[in-house]
Amino acid sequence: MRCRYCFYHDVSEHRENPSYGIMKWDLMEKMIENIHKDLADKDEITIAFQGGEPTLAGLPWFQHFVESMGLYNKKVKINYALQTNGLLIDDSWGEFLNQHNFLTGLSIDANVKLHDSIRVDTQGKGTYDACLKSKAILEKHKAEYNVLCVLTNELAAEPDKVWRFIIREKIQFIQFIPCLESLDDGVFSPFALRPARFASFYVRLYYWWMKALENGAYYSIKFFDDTANYFFRGVPTSCGINGRCHAQYVVEADASVYPCDFYVLDQYNAGKLTAHTLRELFDSPVTQGFLREERILPELCKSCTYIKYCNGGCKRMSNVMYVGVSGSPSFGSVCGYKIFLDKCLKPLEHTVQRYFSN
C-alpha cells in the first residue's frame, strides 16, 4: 500500500538509509539469543511486528521466528502481536495467527470514502473492501484482532459515521491513532488531526458509547479504556499518557534499536540487538538521553487542572491532540485533551463505578 498519511514514511525519509528491507534469518536468530539473555523464568515479553507492512516478510519468516523463540527452555510468557493492512492475509495466515495466539491489529479507517481516498494500493486504488475480507478471514479462524483506525482531521468530523461503522461491522475492540504532522518544522499535513477536532470527536463518541452501555453492550474504545485506567486505577496503559516517554525497543531490520517508533531516526540509534542485550540498550546514553529530554510546555499547560496527570502528554502528539507546538496551526489556543476531560471525565467516573466496579 501507499497510504498518503504514513508517519513512518516521513520518519524514514529523515534517515540516511530510508529502508533496511527485511531482517535476515541469521540476524533474527542472533537477536533472539540476545533477547533471552535478559529473560528469567516467569518473565513476560511482548513482541509486536509492524512496518511498513510486516506480512511482506512472508509466512515462513514468521514461522521461523516463533520456532526460534521456542528453542530456549526458559519459562517465559511470550505474547505476539501483528499490525497489518491485511492485504496479504489468507487462510494460512489466519491459521498461524490463531495457533500462536497473535493479537492482530487490522488497519481500517472507519469510513469507506475516506479510507479509499487515503489508504490506496500501488495502483492508487482503494483497499477498504480488501481489508474487510481480511477481517472475515481472521474471524473465520478465530484469530484475535482489534481494529486500528487513523484519526485524520476529516474523519474526526464524522463521529456518528464512525460509530455506525463500529456497530455495523461488530467491532468489539478499536483504537484511534491521531494522524501526525511531519517531523519538519513549519510543514503541516492536510490530514493531520487538530486538538479541537480531537475533542469534539471523542466527546460525541462518548455519547454513543454510553448509550450502548446503557443498553447492555460494551465496545472497547482504547482511549476511553486508557483514560479510565489512568485516572481511576492509577495505571498508565498507553505510552505518553502521563507525559513521560518509555523505552519501547523498536527494532529495525538491521537489528538497530530505537526508543520509540515515532523517533526511528539516526540520532536515536542506541545500538544493535545482535551486539547488545536489552538491559545494555536500555542503559545506553542514547536511550537514557531520549527518556530525559527536557520539554518546554506551552503557557496554557502551566495553569491547567490536569497538569499533574498529563505533564504535557506525548510529545509527538503535542500539536494534534494537546495544545500544539510553536508554529503549528493550533499552538497556544486550545487543548483537545483538556476539553475532553472537562466534559467527560466526571461522567466517565460515574460510568466506571456503575458498570465496572466489580
Side-chain angles (χ1 to χ4, degrees):
M1 289 172 63
R2 295 293 184 270
C3 301
R4 304 188 195 282
Y5 52 31
C6 179
F7 85 89
Y8 201 74
H9 176 75
D10 178 51
V11 169
S12 65
E13 288 299 311
H14 286 79
R15 298 190 310 222
E16 184 176 339
N17 186 352
S19 174
Y20 294 95
I22 296 169
M23 181 179 285
K24 301 295 188 287
W25 283 23
D26 60 334
L27 288 183
M28 176 210 300
E29 292 163 358
K30 180 59 180 176
M31 178 186 72
I32 289 173
E33 178 187 341
N34 276 6
I35 287 173
H36 278 85
K37 287 180 180 178
D38 280 334
L39 297 180
D41 287 350
K42 299 183 180 179
D43 275 350
E44 183 171 347
I45 185 170
T46 297
I47 298 175
F49 301 92
Q50 59 183 57
E53 175 49 46
T55 58
L56 288 170
L59 186 54
W61 190 98
F62 281 83
Q63 291 168 331
H64 186 69
F65 190 100
V66 171
E67 290 169 2
S68 299
M69 284 294 292
L71 294 176
Y72 296 82
N73 294 323
K74 293 179 180 179
K75 297 176 182 177
V76 173
K77 182 179 180 182
I78 303 170
N79 304 305
Y80 290 115
L82 173 74
Q83 185 59 47
T84 178
N85 62 34
L87 297 194
L88 295 181
I89 297 297
D90 58 14
D91 286 326
S92 297
W93 273 103
E95 292 172 6
F96 171 82
L97 296 170
N98 171 273
Q99 178 185 356
H100 297 286
N101 299 311
F102 272 66
L103 172 60
T104 300
L106 182 60
S107 296
I108 309 175
D109 287 355
N111 178 303
V112 59
K113 180 181 177 182
L114 296 181
H115 179 113
D116 279 347
S117 68
I118 299 174
R119 301 188 63 82
V120 297
D121 63 18
T122 55
Q123 305 301 314
K125 297 179 180 178
T127 58
Y128 183 85
D129 289 341
C131 290
L132 288 187
K133 288 179 182 177
S134 300
K135 172 179 170 290
I137 292 173
L138 294 173
E139 291 170 344
K140 171 185 173 182
H141 292 281
K142 297 181 170 56
E144 187 177 2
Y145 76 93
N146 61 24
V147 167
L148 185 148
C149 177
V150 177
L151 192 61
T152 61
N153 207 48
E154 189 173 4
L155 182 61
E158 305 280 2
D160 293 355
K161 289 184 179 179
V162 169
W163 182 255
R164 288 196 292 271
F165 164 82
I166 293 172
I167 301 302
R168 182 178 65 251
E169 297 300 332
K170 300 181 175 62
I171 307 297
Q172 289 301 126
F173 300 90
I174 188 168
Q175 59 178 310
F176 298 93
I177 305 299
C179 188
L180 299 176
E181 288 285 15
S182 169
L183 287 167
D184 290 322
D185 291 337
V187 177
F188 303 111
S189 165
F191 305 113
L193 187 61
R194 297 282 172 256
R197 189 65 63 77
F198 167 91
S200 63
F201 173 80
Y202 274 115
V203 169
R204 181 62 175 173
L205 203 65
Y206 179 81
Y207 166 82
W208 290 117
W209 181 76
M210 266 301 307
K211 295 286 284 185
L213 263 179
E214 291 169 356
N215 290 318
Y218 170 68
Y219 298 88
S220 173
I221 295 175
K222 192 174 188 299
F223 177 69
F224 297 156
D225 295 346
D226 290 337
T227 303
N229 280 325
Y230 184 49
F231 280 90
F232 310 130
R233 295 179 57 221
V235 180
T237 49
S238 70
C239 185
I241 195 171
N242 57 3
R244 298 181 180 90
C245 293
H246 305 272
Q248 299 294 327
Y249 295 110
V250 178
V251 188
E252 260 289 5
D254 68 339
S256 293
V257 176
Y258 306 79
C260 173
D261 62 345
F262 291 151
Y263 294 95
V264 188
L265 302 167
D266 293 335
Q267 62 265 39
Y268 294 117
N269 187 333
K272 294 184 186 296
L273 193 45
T274 48
H276 304 282
T277 65
L278 295 174
R279 171 54 63 182
E280 289 169 347
L281 290 163
F282 181 79
D283 290 336
S284 73
V286 172
T287 302
Q288 290 303 309
F290 175 83
L291 297 178
R292 295 189 172 103
E293 280 182 358
E294 184 179 0
R295 297 185 61 187
I296 301 175
L297 298 181
E299 287 297 320
L300 193 62
C301 291
K302 297 176 182 178
S303 59
C304 180
T305 308
Y306 310 106
I307 185 61
K308 66 179 181 179
Y309 299 100
C310 168
N311 296 298
C314 170
K315 62 184 178 184
R316 188 65 177 92
M317 295 189 185
S318 58
N319 55 348
V320 298
M321 175 176 170
Y322 303 98
V323 180
V325 295
S326 181
S328 76
S330 56
F331 178 67
S333 52
V334 298
C335 174
Y337 191 47
K338 182 180 187 301
I339 293 172
F340 171 80
L341 292 176
D342 282 346
K343 293 187 177 182
C344 296
L345 189 59
K346 275 294 182 184
L348 182 60
E349 182 177 15
H350 296 319
T351 299
V352 169
Q353 290 172 348
R354 180 178 177 184
Y355 293 100
F356 305 105
S357 59
N358 294 326

